[in-house]
Amino acid sequence: MKIMVAVKRVIDYAVKIRVKADKSGVETQNVKMSMNPFCEIALEEALRIKEAGLASEVVAVTMGPKQSIDTLRTGLAMGADRGIHVEATGDLFPLAVAKLFKALVEIEKPGLIILGKQAIDNDCNQTGQMVAGLLGWPQGTFASKVVLDKEKQEVMVDREVDGGLETVCLNLPAVITTDLRLNQPRYATLPNIMKAKSKPVKKYTPEELNVAMKSDLEVVEVTEPPKRKAGVLVSSVDELIDKLKNEAHVI
Ligand code: AMP
């Protein structure tokens, strides 16, 4: 069984985000970019499934500009067998990405697709659900435990829900999205970074996959969150209670 893993190039989680002066988006020029942390978890899980002898191949997939190849190479250095890069510029919204995934699934025929639960740049948390919807496949989102049964061709997924954990059993092929506690992703070692350079990467354009990139979603404006006001030091519990009651009106 082949596992397809989504790896998205995003602004590194440690970078302080700057909004562009014209409020059209956030600044990405000269900013450190990395693999979306939830995608690292997705790839780690796929690699563990393969290492347990339950999958034959792990294919890392990215959609984005030329530079997304770097994210793919990181995935190959972590251990993916090969990569697919759909080169597309401009804003890539979840529905377009999901349609590209569907087109690739028709070519690659994976038994399992693993994505991050969300991309930390747009926080959409939609793509995995849309991929499953478009394919008509079962989905286990926000996974914190994945147990695959090769014989029965099913996968048990513990999902992180508000009240605790929900366990679902999915028939393969299926879509899983990863939550933070699923695993601790490995680092790429230097020899594997070298080896990754010779792993195959197939390129497509959205046109080759017959996917129109036009979106019915438009970003109207991006603004910084309001600045936090400075705090005040209170001299007693009575003063604190008075302020909570009469100024903040929270008690
Ligand atoms: P989102 O719905 O945008 O929050 O993204 C959820 C997940 O879908 C991400 O964690 C990725 O695994 C996957 N994904 C979204 N956009 C892309 C992309 N351009 N390339 C590869 N994977 C993506």
Side-chain angles (χ1 to χ4, degrees), residues 6-8 36 39 61 63 97 115-116 118-119 122 124-127:
V7 294
K8 186 177 186 189
N36 181 45
C39 299
V61 178
M63 285 104 184
V97 173
L115 308 91
Q118 72 195 63
N122 57 22
C124 278
N125 178 3
Q126 295 170 6
T127 309

Side-chain angles (χ1 to χ4, degrees), residues 139-154:
Q139 57 184 292
T141 49
F142 316 117
S144 64
K145 187 174 171 197
V146 170
V147 180
L148 197 135
D149 189 324
K150 203 175 168 184
E151 300 304 310
K152 292 190 189 151
Q153 281 293 293
E154 59 187 33

Side-chain angles (χ1 to χ4, degrees), residues 12-13 20 37 60 92 139 145 167 171 197 201 209 227:
D12 188 88
Y13 72 93
K20 285 185 186 166
L92 275 176
Q139 57 184 292
K145 187 174 171 197
T167 304
N171 290 325
K197 295 191 173 141
V201 173
L209 296 171
K227 293 252 179 311

Side-chain angles (χ1 to χ4, degrees), residues 172-187:
L172 294 174
V175 175
I176 291 174
T177 74
T178 58
D179 216 317
L180 210 56
R181 275 166 283 269
L182 180 59
N183 61 46
Q184 182 70 46
R186 70 196 64 187
Y187 289 106

